[in-house]
Amino acid sequence: MNYQDENEDIHYLINDFIDKVEKKSSLILYDIDEWLDIADFFSIETHNDFYLSKAIKLALKQYPNNVELVVRNADLIAITDYKEALEYLLESKKQFKSTEQLTLLAYQGGKILASQGKHKEAINTAKECLKHKENEYILNLIAHQYIKLSQYEEAEKYLLRAFEICFNNYIQNKEDELRSYGARDFLYAGTVIDNGLLVSTVELCKNKEEYKEKFYPIIEKFIEYDPQNTYYWELLAEFYERCEDYPKALSACEYYLCLKPDDIDVVRRKYLNYIDSGKKKERINILKKIIDLLEAKLQNKNLLPQVRQDFLNTFAVTYKEIINIYFEEEKYEQCVEICKEILEKSLSYPFFSEEMLFTKPYVYHTFSRLYLELGNYSLAESYAAKTIELDPESYTAKILYSELLYIVGKVDKAYDNFHDIYESIVENIAKIKSKQHPNEFELENHYSLLTMLITTWIKGYVTNGDFKTSLEFLDLLIEELLTVDCIENCLYTAISSYIEIVNYANSSTKKLEEYIDTAIDIYGPSLLEDLMELPAVEKNEKIRLFLENIHEEFNYDEEFD
């Protein structure tokens, strides 16, 4: 939900609070509803614990006896120490007298217990709350704990009652602004349904399929009551989506967009459900619509900095997806035009970001790959060189540049480059492995680069008919890869290349079979299945029969077990 879009007043309030905090104002005062809005904004929308902590601390100075602030403070304390949070709630009970207030404190204690996996204790606490107050939040807390304990029939009872209360609230308070109950409870914007209630219902439906038949009509009833309410259409779309019922989610998105066609979040949701539904035809059109909507949104000069950055991040992600789809569909010329558009738009919108790995070098590297596919090697080489100028540390760019040097006839320079890159990657791998606690992600990344380098490097040798040197390189690579865990993709790529070269050379498969046998011992049936689907395997009867025999052995072992 776009909390920011739904309430323009929040923009002013949050900006005002941040400005006063940054300027270290000596007096920061708001009414209690404003303080709660500020706290909930940072808790729900940004998860910014610095501003959340500051807001709650200042609010409690002004309103020390407000129970809603107390439960939010307990929730904040629980992030680092749940026992301290429970003690704080027990101590706070001394300053409150009404049953309503004490029930809220107990409910928050139940939520904290639930967050620590203490499901039975949370149920007991929540059931005590029900003796004094019945609402959808307490009922859902109980239901969710029963789901965690796999007591689905018990969970169903409490969820059904929670939705009954929600629907009654919907009818009676349709025009009222509702506030959620405890800390980090929050309603879907404009609805009476709490996020937690939807989460529990989805979990129940996914655990047992028959619950979908019971709960689909219950949630659909809200939209039947008011079919023009976009909030409930979006909620319905999210519910179906979480239940992995993508065609229904897509349909709900389309109904929503009939009423409000310019909502970026829902257009994005439609796109994702479109993909999950197995429909690909209109992907590019939907993504281009998102780009247009983002441009319109970014014209608003009053956007919060974080909101603006979120839009820019979505800009980057959307353009990257368009590029990936064009590559997937081999529409290289259209992709060239999109890359030109990206460079032009980057002059107006700072959406290039290291965090998103969507940078100018990335676009130049994409140009280089595109022109390689289109056979324009001169332009491809030029863009590869530009990429390295902007990002001299990029191994991927250096490998592509070296490949292009070879293609355009600069063979000696290409091989010198390949050799230099090889030595650099191998040296880095040795440094990473020498550490007491090697960074596994970093190591895996370098092995991926090494695999890319060698499988690219040997293309030149294969073209010249030097299969012996090609296989020697692959021997070195595969033997190294077999000493490291969790790099199945690298091993798959290296073995795939080995099979292709063995086919070209019509050479012995003995060493290849040894590699495959060892690799499958490490990675099991997943690697075996992938190798059996390779076109190169179909062309080599010896390897095909070898893999089929291993497959039969796996099947025999499974039957025996």
Side-chain angles (χ1 to χ4, degrees):
M1 297 293 153
N2 265 338
Y3 188 87
Q4 299 97 329
D5 286 345
E6 300 303 332
N7 193 339
E8 286 296 326
D9 291 339
I10 287 290
H11 283 199
Y12 175 80
L13 182 62
I14 298 301
N15 277 326
D16 184 66
F17 174 72
I18 292 173
D19 185 56
K20 286 175 178 174
V21 170
E22 293 300 318
K23 289 178 178 176
K24 298 182 179 179
S25 300
S26 58
L27 199 62
I28 305 179
L29 301 174
Y30 299 103
D31 67 36
I32 186 59
D33 285 335
E34 288 173 329
W35 275 123
L36 292 171
D37 281 340
I38 292 168
D40 288 344
F41 177 87
F42 289 118
S43 174
I44 295 163
E45 289 297 324
T46 68
H47 308 289
N48 188 314
D49 290 339
F50 170 76
Y51 285 118
L52 174 60
S53 176
K54 197 78 175 173
I56 290 174
K57 185 178 178 181
L58 291 169
L60 280 169
K61 276 187 179 180
Q62 190 177 345
Y63 298 98
N65 298 317
N66 184 274
V67 69
E68 292 188 64
L69 287 174
V70 168
V71 298
R72 281 158 177 77
N73 196 29
D75 184 67
L76 183 63
I77 295 168
I79 293 171
T80 52
D81 190 334
Y82 86 93
K83 288 182 180 177
E84 185 184 340
L86 292 172
E87 288 170 7
Y88 170 75
L89 285 170
L90 283 172
E91 184 64 27
S92 298
K93 287 174 73 175
K94 296 174 184 177
Q95 70 188 81
F96 299 106
K97 294 181 180 178
S98 78
T99 302
E100 178 77 23
Q101 292 170 326
L102 294 171
T103 302
L104 177 54
L105 293 173
Y107 164 74
Q108 194 64 38
K111 283 184 67 182
I112 292 170
L113 287 167
S115 71
Q116 299 302 312
K118 299 182 181 300
H119 306 304
K120 290 181 180 177
E121 294 94 324
I123 287 172
N124 292 335
T125 301
K127 283 186 174 178
E128 283 298 313
C129 292
L130 279 183
K131 292 177 183 178
H132 308 290
K133 182 178 182 67
E134 184 188 48
N135 64 28
E136 62 271 34
Y137 300 97
I138 300 170
L139 291 162
N140 177 60
L141 177 58
I142 297 169
H144 201 222
Q145 304 323 296
Y146 276 127
I147 291 170
K148 293 299 181 186
L149 295 168
S150 301
Q151 296 181 33
Y152 301 127
E153 290 183 5
E154 285 296 311
E156 179 193 358
K157 279 192 313 187
Y158 286 95
L159 285 178
L160 288 172
R161 177 60 185 144
F163 274 109
E164 185 182 345
I165 290 172
C166 282
F167 193 72
N168 289 336
N169 284 340
Y170 186 30
I171 294 169
Q172 294 165 16
N173 303 299
K174 191 175 175 186
E175 305 303 325
D176 295 345
E177 185 177 340
L178 300 173
R179 182 181 287 283
S180 298
Y181 191 52
R184 288 188 208 259
D185 289 336
F186 66 96
L187 300 168
Y188 278 90
T191 77
V192 297
I193 297 177
D194 173 61
N195 176 62
L197 183 55
L198 208 67
V199 168
S200 299
T201 309
V202 167
E203 201 168 330
L204 188 63
C205 289
K206 288 177 75 173
N207 272 298
K208 287 202 170 184
E209 193 73 17
E210 59 264 31
Y211 283 115
K212 288 183 180 180
E213 295 176 14
K214 293 184 179 180
F215 283 96
Y216 274 22
I218 287 170
I219 296 182
E220 288 162 358
K221 183 167 70 169
F222 288 82
I223 207 70
E224 289 168 5
Y225 179 73
D226 184 5
Q228 301 299 308
N229 192 322
T230 55
Y231 299 123
Y232 284 93
W233 277 116
E234 186 173 7
L235 182 144
L236 187 62
E238 178 148 345
F239 174 66
Y240 289 142
E241 186 181 308
R242 291 188 184 193
C243 288
E244 297 176 4
D245 199 335
Y246 302 116
K248 279 185 173 289
L250 178 59
S251 178
C253 287
E254 287 172 344
Y255 272 107
Y256 177 102
L257 291 168
C258 288
L259 299 167
K260 195 175 177 184
D262 296 334
D263 189 303
I264 293 174
D265 286 345
V266 180
V267 175
R268 178 92 187 150
R269 171 162 280 150
K270 176 184 174 181
Y271 167 74
L272 294 173
N273 283 296
Y274 208 91
I275 305 307
D276 290 327
S277 299
K279 301 178 179 181
K280 295 184 176 181
K281 193 175 179 182
E282 295 297 322
R283 289 183 296 176
I284 292 290
N285 288 340
I286 297 174
L287 290 172
K288 285 184 176 179
K289 179 176 176 61
I290 292 171
I291 293 289
D292 291 342
L293 292 173
L294 284 166
E295 284 198 80
K297 292 280 187 186
L298 287 165
Q299 301 304 312
N300 182 356
K301 294 180 180 179
N302 296 320
L303 288 174
L304 284 170
Q306 182 61 52
V307 178
R308 180 174 295 279
Q309 189 56 53
D310 287 344
F311 284 149
L312 290 170
N313 289 345
T314 305
F315 223 74
V317 168
T318 306
Y319 267 127
K320 281 186 79 172
E321 282 178 279
I322 293 173
I323 287 171
N324 290 337
I325 290 169
Y326 276 140
F327 262 107
E328 177 192 320
E329 296 179 350
E330 298 182 4
K331 294 180 177 177
Y332 304 123
E333 290 179 355
Q334 292 94 321
C335 198
V336 166
E337 294 307 311
I338 276 292
C339 287
K340 288 177 180 177
E341 180 182 312
I342 289 167
L343 291 178
E344 184 182 338
K345 294 255 179 88
S346 69
L347 300 174
S348 304
Y349 305 107
F351 54 74
F352 283 143
S353 162
E354 293 291 342
E355 290 75 20
M356 304 298 298
L357 299 179
F358 187 76
T359 59
K360 199 168 186 180
Y362 169 86
V363 178
Y364 279 167
H365 182 67
T366 303
F367 269 126
S368 186
R369 291 170 60 205
L370 289 166
Y371 285 121
L372 171 61
E373 294 291 347
L374 291 167
N376 191 333
Y377 304 126
S378 176
L379 262 180
E381 181 198 349
S382 172
Y383 274 108
K386 286 180 181 178
T387 307
I388 294 169
E389 282 177 25
L390 291 173
D391 187 5
E393 301 303 314
S394 171
Y395 282 115
T396 307
K398 289 176 183 177
I399 292 167
L400 180 58
Y401 180 57
S402 302
E403 180 181 7
L404 286 161
L405 286 173
Y406 181 88
I407 290 171
V408 299
K410 301 174 185 177
V411 177
D412 291 341
K413 187 177 180 182
Y415 282 160
D416 286 344
N417 276 16
F418 278 130
H419 187 267
D420 290 345
I421 299 165
Y422 176 81
E423 287 195 337
S424 177
I425 294 173
V426 168
E427 185 182 334
N428 284 345
I429 287 173
K431 285 179 182 176
I432 296 165
K433 291 173 79 172
S434 69
K435 294 177 181 176
Q436 188 173 359
H437 301 289
N439 183 319
E440 290 184 8
F441 174 78
E442 196 177 0
L443 192 62
E444 183 179 343
N445 183 49
H446 274 77
Y447 274 117
S448 296
L449 290 167
L450 185 63
T451 304
M452 182 193 303
L453 171 71
I454 289 178
T455 52
T456 304
W457 192 352
I458 62 175
K459 288 178 185 177
Y461 291 106
V462 172
T463 302
N464 291 329
D466 188 352
F467 304 122
K468 182 175 179 291
T469 304
S470 302
L471 291 176
E472 285 173 355
F473 272 115
L474 287 172
D475 284 334
L476 287 170
L477 175 63
I478 293 172
E479 284 164 14
E480 174 68 17
L481 293 176
L482 287 171
T483 68
V484 188
D485 291 334
C486 302
I487 47 173
E488 182 177 346
N489 288 339
C490 297
L491 205 48
Y492 167 78
T493 301
I495 291 173
S496 302
S497 295
Y498 207 107
I499 295 170
E500 287 178 2
I501 294 169
V502 164
N503 287 354
Y504 286 134
N506 197 23
S507 57
S508 167
T509 62
K510 184 178 177 182
K511 189 178 282 189
L512 174 58
E513 289 173 10
E514 290 174 5
Y515 290 150
I516 291 173
D517 207 21
T518 307
I520 290 172
D521 279 345
I522 298 170
Y523 294 107
S526 64
L527 179 60
L528 173 62
E529 296 289 344
D530 288 341
L531 290 174
M532 289 181 74
E533 291 178 8
L534 283 169
V537 167
E538 283 299 313
K539 296 175 183 176
N540 192 313
E541 188 175 1
K542 274 190 176 181
I543 295 298
R544 181 172 57 78
L545 290 172
F546 177 72
L547 291 172
E548 286 175 358
N549 286 335
I550 297 175
H551 192 263
E552 285 176 14
E553 287 173 18
F554 270 116
N555 288 341
Y556 175 80
D557 290 342
E558 284 177 10
E559 287 176 18
F560 183 77
D561 289 342

